[in-house]
Every structure is written in structure tokens, then in C-alpha cells.
């Protein structure tokens, strides 16, 4: 996700901007850039001059460009870009500059109505050079600029839909940085005769521990020794700074002990990002397939956690679209010898770099299939191997254990299934509306789960000494059982297996003892009674039984040894809160076992070998 830093004060801006930007590297990025107002302009007659540098690649790469070409100046902004619109490239990197070359802007977020704004700006003669949504903002501000930068920003933002944190400088107003935010984070660091802006606290902690959090739809004029905050109508807002009590190390993980926990807690926001601009009338403008003639069946291919999302996707697709849906492991797909393949193949990969999934994409194309990739990483290798790309937009995931990306994949699959079902006419407006309304409730459902971890922390005490743990589920929660087991084994090193609950009696039951906990996932649907029976069978073999079920289940506490409840949701959507609980179970178990968690032994975030 993009990172923003700004500095205004008596010191040279460039080293401060670079140093602070490095503190935001953990957010993930693909390009970096800087703009500074240079006040020692000998070559021109101007009092001050905007100078910028940017490129694809690392901050070190940007630094090497600056090494021979230091920009002197005491006000500047800088940026790390995590591509959303347009692949990583020099022209798509920030800052973006207006047609006059005097105005520079950096942005984090997504401008949803950029296409409409772009058309208008082009008609007015603006030359758009990048593929980004961001560049539209800089031209919009230029269009509204009449000698007052803050006024132009306010006026422009009133016409913008979407999320933004922005920082803007103009060479004719070198005494200020104008910033604004809506749904994307931005903080102001309060110094002594100097001020800072940043996407996140770690960027400024070296210089100050006093910060002001900007709220949605607020703008601020930041000078050396004053910070003025106002709403988009120009009404002044009074806000005091707060003292940060974390140290730098803590702050990079946002105060969380591990990235994995941070990323689980980010799931509420991640779901909102996945849904943004897509739920309502569901459209996937990125898809070139709108013809229902190709929808004869769907195959989903992936590895690991993405494979489990795919298996859940099979239940979602079959329920909503009525299309036969098969799922294959990417590493096995190439060996299959189908007489005919489904024409639509969806490849799911968080990183977009998994070698097995890339090979499967090539094979699917070779077989003449239409391919769609669901990935989190813009410009990743998979995007060059498929016909269409859908980005899941959950932001960078640093912990090896996939958490928020899994939830993001599920939400994207619900959206895609509703979209295809509507295209095929299998979903009438009323049930479609209900499904979309339920999707909109999921952020608050997940928020309730992550804000209530005490029962989970208590429950995991019974898992830490186990050598084997079984997870069981039926129907749409059978893949949840597989994913729960994978999450636990990869970070806690406790052997765990997931089974369809009905399969226990066909073999695994032989392994059950009082030392083999069984975690059963239930939802109040047509599978409920059957899985309760399986749970009783396990209990009869003295296995400790833990049930994960919905809040309205008032029977299970009489049967299971321990119960974890999730907020009531229709069973089709239960894999979402269930996934969050299972991730937290894995996390707190691994923590109790003293494991490293974010970097488990032998594993890598991107598996680029076959
Ligand atoms: O980047 P991908 O989604 O293609 O990665 C696939 C698997 O390597 C990945 O999901 C792996 O299983 C996770 N570390 C599990 O948490």
C-alpha cells in the first residue's frame, strides 16, 4: 500500500523524506518518488522551483538517482507506490505533476470516478501522461487553482469519489504543504518550528512523538510553525496533538506483536476495500468476458490457502450460478489428461508469483481456456499469463501465513459468483439484493470477531500440548476445516489435518484419543444435525471436542467441551467469520508455543519454484 511522507521546516527536506519513507517500506511498494521546492534557483528567474524525481523500484534506487543530483529545499513530499491503476513504471510513480510543472501531488487510495473526471479534463486540454487514477487529481487541482492552493484542493475534492490521502505542494506557495484525507490514513507530526506528514506514525517517530490524526474529509494547511485543519467547506476544526507512547519497532507493526495479528485485525478494512465500488450493481470492468456462452462450467486452480479459498468458491459458485465448478491444485493440473476442459479457468494467487499457479495458467491457455487471475499484487507475473485480472485489493501481506488475503479472496469470489449468476439470469433482483446486503454487513461481523479474542485465547490452552489436532466441517465449511488445519500447522508446527466431517468414521477415527482435540465447524443449516452426530462420535472416543458455531446455536454447549461463537450470518457466508476465528486460534496457539509466527521455518511468502 502506498506510503506518503512530507516535511516543512528549517532543515534540508531530502534526507528527512528519504529516511522517513524507509520507515514505511513495510507497507509494500513498487516505485518511489520525491518532490521538493528548491529555493536556490540560480538557473531561472523564479524565486522557487519545483523539482521532482521518481522511478520504478526501491527507495535505494531513488536514492542512487538523487546521489548525483541532490535537491536542496526545505519543503517536500515523497511517496512509495503500491500499484492499483496501471503497472509499476516511472510514469505511473508519484509524485504526479500538473501541466504547468509547478504543482506536485502524492496520493494513497483509489479515485473511483477518475474516468469521468479524466474525460472532462482532457476536453479542457489537460495532457494525461500516466495510467493512474491519481494523475487526474493533480490536473483537477491545477484546473481549480487561482493562487490559493488550499482553496483549489478543497474545491477539487468536492467532485471526487473514492478514498484518498494526499499531499500537495505548489512552487509559488513554498511556505505550505496542503494535505487531505478520506478513508486512507494520514497523520501530521508536530515538531518544533517544523512539521511532518505521513501515512503512518513510524515515519515521523524519529523526529517527533506528537501527532495529529486527520479525519475523513478534512484538509490541513501545514506550515513550519502552524497546522490549520478545516472541513471541505473551509470551516476551521480544532484538534490537539496526541503523544505516541510506542517505540519505533512496535509502531512498524502498528503496535501489534506480529504482522500476522496486525493483518488479521486489518480484515475489516480489507473487506471494505474489496467491496468498494463493486457492490451495488456488481460490475467487473476489468473482465472482458460478458458473453454467457462461455459460462458452461468453471475450473478454479490454486495452491495452499488460495486453494482452500477456491474450494469454498466451488460451493459459492454452484449455489449461486448453478454452473458445475471443479477445483484443482495448481501443482497437479498439468498432469491431468482431460478429454475436454471447462472454457473458464480462474487462477487464484495472493502473490501472483507462485510458480505452480503460473505454470497452470500457461497450461490452461494452451488448452484453449479463457483465464482470469484473482491476485493481490498489481503487475505480478500472473497478470502477464492470463486474459483478465481481478485484483483483490487487501493491501500488502507480510506474514507468511495468508490471512487477510484469504478473506479478500472469499469476498471477491462471492462478488464474482453474484455477478455471473446475474449475467446468466440465475439470480433475480430481490435475492441478489439480499446477498449484497449481507456482503455489506461482513466488515462489522469480522470486527466483532477480532474485538472478542478472550475466549479464543482461553481455548488454545487446551491445544498447545497436543501432538495432533483434527478439524472437521461439512459442505461450505469443509474447506474451512482444511484452511484451519493448514494455518495451525504452518505457524505452530503442531500436526493438524482437516476432514469432511463425514469422513472421520472412514479412517481417521482410529487415531482419536483423549490427546487428540477435534475442532468442529458448524453452521445452522441442513448439515447441522449430521455434524453434531460426528462430534458425538469423536467425544465417545474421549477426544476433547471444540465447536465453532453461530451465536444462535443454543444446543451445542451441552455436547462440546468448549465452544467459540461467531456472529449469526447466513450459512453461505459463514466461512468468513469462521476463517477469522481459525486464524486467531492458530495465532494464539503458535504464540503460546513460542513460535516465530511471521516467518515459519522452511516456508516462504512467495513460492517461486515448482
Ligand atoms: O501467493 P499464493 O496465493 O499463490 O500462495 C499460495 C500458497 O503458497 C500460500 O497460500 C501458502 O499456503 C500460505 N503461506 C498459507 O498460509
Amino acid at each position: 500500500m502506498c506510503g506518503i511522507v512530507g516535511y516543512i521546516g528549517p532543515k534540508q527536506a531530502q534526507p528527512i523524506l528519504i529516511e522517513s519513507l524507509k520507515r514505511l517500506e513495510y507497507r509494500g511498494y513498487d516505485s518511489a518518488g520525491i518532490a521538493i521546492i528548491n529555493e536556490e534557483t540560480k538557473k531561472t528567474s523564479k524565486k522557487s522551483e519545483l523539482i521532482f524525481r521518481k522511478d520504478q523500484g526501491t527507495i535505494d534506487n531513488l536514492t542512487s538517482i538523487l546521489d548525483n543530483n541532490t535537491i536542496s529545499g526545505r519543503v517536500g513530499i515523497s511517496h512509495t507506490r503500491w500499484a492499483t491503476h496501471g503497472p509499476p513504471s516511472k510514469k505511473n510513480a508519484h509524485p504526479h505533476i500538473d501541466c504547468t510543472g509547478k504543482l506536485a501531488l502524492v496520493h494513497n487510495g483509489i479515485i473511483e470516478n477518475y474516468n469521468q473526471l479524466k474525460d472532462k479534463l482532457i476536453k479542457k486540454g489537460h495532457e494525461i501522461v500516466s495510467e493512474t487514477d491519481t494523475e487526474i487529481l493533480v490536473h483537477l487541482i491545477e484546473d481549480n487553482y487561482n493562487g490559493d492552493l488550499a482553496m483549489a484542493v478543497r474545491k477539487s475534492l468536492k467532485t471526487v469519489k473514492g478514498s484518498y490521502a494526499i499531499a500537495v505542494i505548489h512552487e509559488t506557495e513554498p511556505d505550505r504543504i496542503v494535505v487531505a484525507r478520506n478513508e486512507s490514513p494520514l497523520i501530521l507530526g508536530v515538531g518544533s518550528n517544523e512539521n511532518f506528514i505521513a501515512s503512518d506514525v513510524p515515519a515521523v517517530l524519529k523526529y517527533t512523538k506528537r501527532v495529529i490524526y486527520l479525519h475523513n474529509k478534512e484538509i490541513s494547511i501545514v506550515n513550519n510553525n502552524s497546522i490549520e485543519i478545516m472541513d471541505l467547506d473551509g470551516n476551521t476544526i480544532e484538534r490537539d496533538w496526541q503523544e505516541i507512547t510506542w517505540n519505533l519497532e512496535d509502531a512498524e507493526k502498528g503496535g501489534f506483536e506480529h504482522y500476522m495479528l496486525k493483518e488479521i485485525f486489518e480484515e475489516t478494512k480489507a473487506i471494505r476495500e474489496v467491496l468498494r465500488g463493486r457492490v451495488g450493481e456488481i460490475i467487473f470492468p476489468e473482465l472482458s468476458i460478458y458473453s454467457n456462452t462461455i459460462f458452461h462450467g468453471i475450473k478454479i486452480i490454486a495452491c495452499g490457502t488460495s486453494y482452500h479459498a477456491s474450494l469454498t468458491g466451488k460451493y459459492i459458485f454452484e449455489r449461486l450460478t448453478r454452473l458445475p465448478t471443479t477445483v484443482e491444485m495448481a501443482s497437479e493440473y498439468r498432469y491431468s489428461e482431460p478429454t475436454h476442459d471447462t472454457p473458464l479457468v480462474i487462477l487464484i494467487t495472493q502473490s501472483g508469483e507462485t510458480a505452480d499457479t503460473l505454470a497452470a495458467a500457461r497450461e490452461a491457455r494452451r488448452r484453449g481456456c479463457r483465464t482470469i487471475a484473482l491476485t493481490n499484487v498489481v503487475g505480478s507475473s500472473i497478470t502477464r499469463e492470463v486474459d483478465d485480472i481481478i485484483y483483490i485489493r487487501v493491501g500488502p501481506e507480510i506474514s507468511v501465513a495468508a490471512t487477510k488475503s484469504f478473506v479478500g479472496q472469499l469476498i471477491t469470489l462471492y462478488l464474482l459468483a453474484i455477478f455471473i449468476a446475474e449475467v446468466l439470469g440465475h439470480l433475480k433482483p430481490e435475492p441478489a439484493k439480499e446477498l449484497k446486503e449481507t456482503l455489506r454487513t461482513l466488515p462489522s461481523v469480522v470486527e466483532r470477531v477480532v474485538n472478542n479474542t478472550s475466549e479464543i485465547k482461553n481455548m488454545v490452552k487446551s491445544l498447545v500440548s497436543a501432538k495432533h489436532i483434527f478439524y472437521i466441517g461439512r459442505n461450505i465449511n469443509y474447506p474451512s476445516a482444511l484452511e484451519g488445519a493448514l494455518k495451525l500447522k504452518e505457524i505452530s508446527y503442531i500436526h493438524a489435518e482437516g476432514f469432511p466431517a463425514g469422513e472421520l468414521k472412514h479412517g481417521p477415527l482410529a487415531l482419536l484419543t483423549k490427546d487428540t482435540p477435534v475442532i468442529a465447524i458448524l453452521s445452522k443449516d441442513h448439515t447441522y444435525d449430521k455434524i453434531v452426530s460426528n462430534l458425538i462420535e469423536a467425544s465417545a472416543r474421549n477426544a476433547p471436542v471444540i465447536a465453532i458455531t453461530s451465536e444462535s446455536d443454543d444446543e451445542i454447549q451441552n455436547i462440546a467441551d468448549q465452544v467459540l461463537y461467531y456472529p449469526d450470518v447466513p450459512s453461505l457466508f459463514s466461512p468468513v467469520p469462521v476463517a477469522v476465528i481459525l486464524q486467531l486460534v492458530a495465532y494464539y496457539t503458535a504464540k503460546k508455543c513460542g513460535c516465530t509466527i511471521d516467518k515459519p521455518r522452511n516456508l516462504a511468502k512467495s513460492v517461486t519454484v515448482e
Side-chain angles (χ1 to χ4, degrees):
M1 243 186 267
C2 305
I4 291 177
V5 173
Y7 173 78
I8 184 160
K11 300 177 193 140
Q12 283 299 316
Q14 182 179 305
I16 294 173
L17 291 173
I18 294 294
E19 159 92 39
S20 304
L21 208 53
K22 284 195 164 218
R23 300 278 173 210
L24 298 179
E25 274 189 312
Y26 72 92
R27 296 165 71 87
Y29 69 102
D30 48 62
S31 324
I34 190 167
I36 289 176
I37 299 179
N38 176 290
E39 290 176 76
E40 290 142 35
T41 53
K42 297 188 184 93
K43 288 186 206 134
T44 65
S45 54
K46 293 187 210 170
K47 279 201 193 124
S48 52
E49 184 182 20
L50 180 80
I51 301 180
F52 72 97
R53 310 267 182 265
K54 59 180 183 175
D55 204 355
Q56 183 182 342
T58 59
I59 298 171
D60 284 343
N61 177 49
L62 177 67
T63 313
S64 67
I65 299 169
L66 292 166
D67 275 349
N68 305 325
N69 231 331
T70 305
I71 315 171
S72 117
R74 293 172 167 80
V75 52
I77 53 178
S78 60
H79 188 266
T80 44
R81 176 174 188 249
W82 194 77
T84 58
H85 290 60
S89 66
K90 184 171 180 174
K91 73 172 180 205
N92 289 337
H94 302 210
H96 287 280
I97 310 296
D98 73 342
C99 298
T100 68
K102 295 179 180 178
L103 176 65
L105 173 142
V106 293
H107 167 228
N108 172 19
I110 295 177
I111 304 303
E112 286 163 14
N113 59 338
Y114 81 104
N115 264 326
Q116 292 103 291
L117 294 170
K118 184 175 178 178
D119 290 345
K120 284 188 196 155
L121 288 163
I122 289 173
K123 278 191 195 125
K124 286 182 156 184
H126 290 264
E127 197 192 337
I128 313 289
V129 294
S130 77
E131 298 149 274
T132 64
D133 52 333
T134 302
E135 196 192 344
I136 303 312
L137 278 180
V138 83
H139 290 282
L140 196 59
I141 296 168
E142 176 192 1
D143 212 55
N144 288 316
Y145 187 69
N146 215 352
D148 182 341
L149 184 58
M151 175 87 87
V153 170
R154 280 202 285 119
K155 202 168 167 197
S156 303
L157 292 179
K158 284 189 170 178
T159 63
V160 161
K161 284 198 197 129
S163 57
Y164 51 78
I166 57 167
V168 196
I169 52 177
H170 198 290
E171 69 172 31
T172 57
E173 297 181 58
D175 63 336
R176 65 194 53 203
I177 305 175
V178 177
V179 301
R181 75 152 269 179
N182 185 42
E183 306 287 352
S184 295
L186 199 71
I187 60 121
L188 312 174
V190 184
S192 156
N193 197 33
E194 61 181 356
N195 286 311
F196 306 81
I197 59 158
S199 299
D200 203 354
V201 174
V204 302
L205 267 190
K206 183 176 168 192
Y207 307 101
T208 179
K209 288 205 156 196
R210 296 185 296 177
V211 304
I212 297 174
Y213 292 90
L214 213 56
H215 296 181
N216 284 342
K217 301 221 160 116
E218 288 180 352
I219 87 158
S220 177
I221 303 169
V222 183
N223 304 107
N224 272 15
N225 40 28
S226 73
I227 290 176
E228 201 183 327
I229 303 174
M230 64 197 82
D231 63 18
L232 292 187
D233 292 321
N235 301 307
T236 302
I237 295 166
E238 300 293 340
R239 181 147 326 123
D240 270 347
W241 50 262
Q242 296 175 25
E243 182 90 25
I244 296 295
T245 50
W246 316 322
N247 62 34
L248 200 52
E249 168 101 352
D250 291 340
E252 278 172 345
K253 292 183 188 133
F256 289 93
E257 197 176 341
H258 297 98
Y259 282 111
M260 181 178 177
L261 191 61
K262 175 172 184 265
E263 285 157 8
I264 295 171
F265 272 74
E266 281 170 352
E267 286 175 353
T268 304
K269 192 171 112 217
I271 297 174
R272 287 204 182 97
E273 273 308 312
V274 181
L275 294 177
R276 187 188 300 287
R278 285 176 174 160
V279 70
E281 183 200 352
I282 295 184
I283 43 162
F284 280 101
E286 50 279 68
L287 293 188
S288 57
I289 43 149
Y290 281 92
S291 153
N292 52 12
T293 56
I294 66 155
F295 293 141
H296 299 308
I298 298 170
K299 184 183 289 293
I300 317 180
I301 303 175
C303 300
T305 290
S306 298
Y307 172 74
H308 298 149
S310 310
L311 282 177
T312 315
K314 170 185 164 67
Y315 291 91
I316 302 170
F317 275 101
E318 292 189 339
R319 183 101 46 100
L320 298 181
T321 69
R322 303 269 150 220
L323 291 172
T325 306
T326 53
V327 182
E328 279 195 54
M329 282 180 180
S331 54
E332 285 297 310
Y333 175 68
R334 69 175 60 177
Y335 308 119
S336 62
E337 291 180 21
T339 46
H340 65 279
D341 226 325
T342 48
L344 182 61
V345 168
I346 302 174
L347 298 120
I348 306 186
T349 165
Q350 184 282 133
S351 61
E353 302 295 346
T354 301
D356 288 321
T357 313
L358 292 173
R362 279 175 219 125
E363 177 61 16
R365 269 181 141 180
R366 197 189 62 77
R367 293 181 190 183
C369 307
R370 181 105 204 153
T371 51
I372 304 177
L374 255 66
T375 187
N376 193 31
V377 182
V378 175
S380 56
S381 302
I382 193 80
T383 62
R384 293 183 286 280
E385 301 286 355
V386 292
D387 300 304
D388 295 294
I389 308 153
I390 297 177
Y391 289 112
I392 62 165
R393 310 197 306 216
V394 297
E397 192 176 63
I398 293 163
S399 180
V400 165
T403 53
K404 64 175 176 174
S405 64
F406 177 70
V407 168
Q409 288 164 348
L410 294 186
I411 304 296
T412 312
L413 288 165
Y414 287 116
L415 286 168
L416 192 57
I418 298 171
F419 167 72
I420 293 177
E422 284 185 314
V423 170
L424 295 181
H426 289 322
L427 205 50
K428 298 285 170 265
E430 208 38 48
K433 198 169 151 228
E434 271 177 39
L435 290 167
K436 292 170 194 172
E437 272 162 16
T438 306
L439 275 175
R440 283 200 195 90
T441 65
L442 291 178
S444 53
V445 167
V446 168
E447 193 160 35
R448 283 188 56 203
V449 175
V450 296
N451 286 335
N452 188 14
T453 54
S454 52
E455 298 288 317
I456 299 174
K457 285 182 194 152
N458 190 38
M459 187 282 273
V460 301
K461 291 181 198 152
S462 63
L463 301 184
V464 284
S465 56
K467 294 268 180 302
H468 312 280
I469 299 176
F470 289 175
Y471 287 70
I472 58 170
R474 276 181 185 257
N475 196 252
I476 199 162
N477 279 310
Y478 154 50
S480 306
L482 297 180
E483 175 57 11
L486 173 64
K487 213 85 300 161
L488 186 82
K489 75 179 114 181
E490 80 176 311
I491 60 164
S492 74
Y493 314 138
I494 297 173
H495 173 234
E497 293 302 327
F499 301 102
E503 282 296 299
L504 262 193
K505 57 187 176 298
H506 297 292
L509 213 52
L511 296 172
L512 290 193
T513 67
K514 65 174 182 26
D515 299 320
T516 322
V518 174
I519 300 180
I521 302 152
L522 299 97
S523 66
K524 278 282 194 179
D525 60 12
H526 56 298
T527 65
Y528 183 81
D529 291 341
K530 292 261 186 301
I531 195 161
V532 168
S533 305
N534 303 135
L535 213 143
I536 293 169
E537 285 156 16
S539 211
R541 272 82 187 170
N542 298 322
V545 172
I546 298 127
I548 299 178
T549 191
S550 63
E551 274 169 355
S552 60
D553 182 351
D554 49 15
E555 301 165 46
I556 205 71
Q557 81 260 29
N558 303 322
I559 305 162
D561 297 300
Q562 294 182 78
V563 186
L564 298 175
Y565 292 99
Y566 58 84
D568 285 336
V569 284
S571 73
L572 180 69
F573 295 93
S574 58
V576 175
V578 164
V580 186
I581 292 181
L582 293 173
Q583 291 164 1
L584 289 165
V585 166
Y587 174 80
Y588 288 115
T589 308
K591 196 177 162 204
K592 267 212 156 304
C593 293
C595 299
T596 51
I597 301 189
D598 281 334
K599 290 194 166 85
R601 68 182 179 217
N602 305 338
L603 299 180
K605 186 68 184 159
S606 294
V607 185
T608 54
V609 290
E610 288 180 45

